[in-house]
Amino acid sequence: MTAQIISGKDIAKQIREELEQEIAELKEKHNIVPGLATVLVGEDPASQVYVGSKSKTCQSLGIYSERYDLPDTTDEQTLLSIIDRLNKDPKINGILVQLPLPKHINENNVLMAIDPKKDVDGFHPVNMGKLMIGEPDYLPCTPHGIQELLIRSGVKTDGADVVVVGRSNIVGKPIANILLQKKEGANATVTLCHTGTRDMASHTRRADILIVALGKPKAITADMVKDGVVVIDVGVNRIGKTDEGKSILCGDVDFEAIKEKAKAITPVPGGVGPMTIVMLMSNTVKATKLAAGLV
Ligand code: GUN
């Protein structure tokens, strides 16, 4: 069997077109333009690329955006006062602080300073808590993108054995929470594996749907999955450079070998990555509608 390749690129394009329509309607009917502020501290090249594509996508969709690129030496108080200003700015519906932050800044202090209504990343404890009780306003972008990939490519989660590898606050914990909700596109039996897991392969081999976000190139090999598995690879690992100086990327799973065994699999790049940005835009539109009392 050769797997169906789940194209995040194509599905993200579909969602972008739906959002374009929604944004045009907001403008026409209500004269409202959604606004997103991105905040980047430091010069990490990968983060610069992510934030750059977030601003570019805003522009192409008709979302107003403000970009704050701050030096690595920025202190916590300065960052908190920028967030305070953005919290109060009616043009701004969503605030995104790119992670990771430099070590001298306390990440939790910063995430907790964002007004939960403008927390389009869904990382504020209020939004994490709402997700946990099944009443989310904003789902974190990468996990939300994964759920959309599954739904839109016809993968049934109801009753499925889902195994998640990696327990980060950004991906592992929220996707586990999303997929165990008693809802459409969820209702799975979820196992969350991590660095403390004994005999990882005994879990991954049971998975109907395997979601991997552990940050190690090709850590999941073909002998660790069963025939007919659906694999969602969240990893983005830079394993070298082309002659032209472009990064060579690979995921956390051995794509070439596993695609011969799987029913469906996401590629890297072009799988989960494009979904994260489009779900951020979707959350920004939702924040705008919530602020205007339209939902
Ligand atoms: N760094 C890696 N992923 C993310 C994300 O989804 N949001 C933010 N703010 N930072 C990240």
Side-chain angles (χ1 to χ4, degrees), residues 39 47 50-51 54 95-100 111 120-121 123 140-143 170-171 276-277 280:
V39 183
S47 292
Y50 291 138
V51 171
K54 284 164 188 170
I95 302 168
L96 174 129
V97 178
Q98 186 65 29
L99 303 178
L111 295 180
V120 285
D121 253 328
F123 292 161
C141 305
T142 300
I170 294 182
V171 183
T276 298
I277 293 181
L280 173 69

Side-chain angles (χ1 to χ4, degrees), residues 141-217:
C141 305
T142 300
H144 194 187
I146 293 171
Q147 188 187 34
E148 282 295 325
L149 279 180
L150 293 172
I151 292 171
R152 290 179 189 240
S153 48
V155 178
K156 293 270 171 291
T157 51
D158 192 358
D161 273 318
V162 171
V163 176
V164 178
V165 183
R167 61 178 148 189
S168 71
N169 290 335
I170 294 182
V171 183
K173 283 184 207 159
I175 192 61
N177 264 295
I178 289 169
L179 293 180
L180 61 77
Q181 306 286 335
K182 196 169 182 175
K183 289 183 182 170
E184 283 277 319
N187 208 33
T189 302
V190 180
T191 305
L192 183 48
C193 298
H194 46 74
T195 48
T197 299
R198 254 186 282 132
D199 193 4
M200 176 83 75
S202 71
H203 296 282
T204 57
R205 269 187 214 118
R206 278 193 306 102
D208 300 315
I209 302 171
L210 179 63
I211 301 172
V212 188
L214 50 71
K216 276 200 203 115

Side-chain angles (χ1 to χ4, degrees), residues 36-59 65-69 96-100 121 123 141-142 170-171 215 233-238 247-252 268-278 280-281:
L36 174 71
T38 61
V39 183
L40 169 66
V41 186
E43 281 91 42
D44 177 59
S47 292
Q48 282 174 332
V49 171
Y50 291 138
V51 171
S53 21
K54 284 164 188 170
S55 305
K56 247 188 8 219
T57 310
C58 281
Q59 237 175 19
S65 73
E66 287 181 11
R67 186 169 163 177
Y68 295 82
D69 287 3
L96 174 129
V97 178
Q98 186 65 29
L99 303 178
D121 253 328
F123 292 161
C141 305
T142 300
I170 294 182
V171 183
D233 189 351
V234 190
V236 181
N237 304 290
R238 286 169 176 75
S247 293
I248 300 169
L249 302 179
C250 87
D252 289 348
V268 177
V272 175
M275 296 298 291
T276 298
I277 293 181
V278 93
L280 173 69
M281 302 300 142

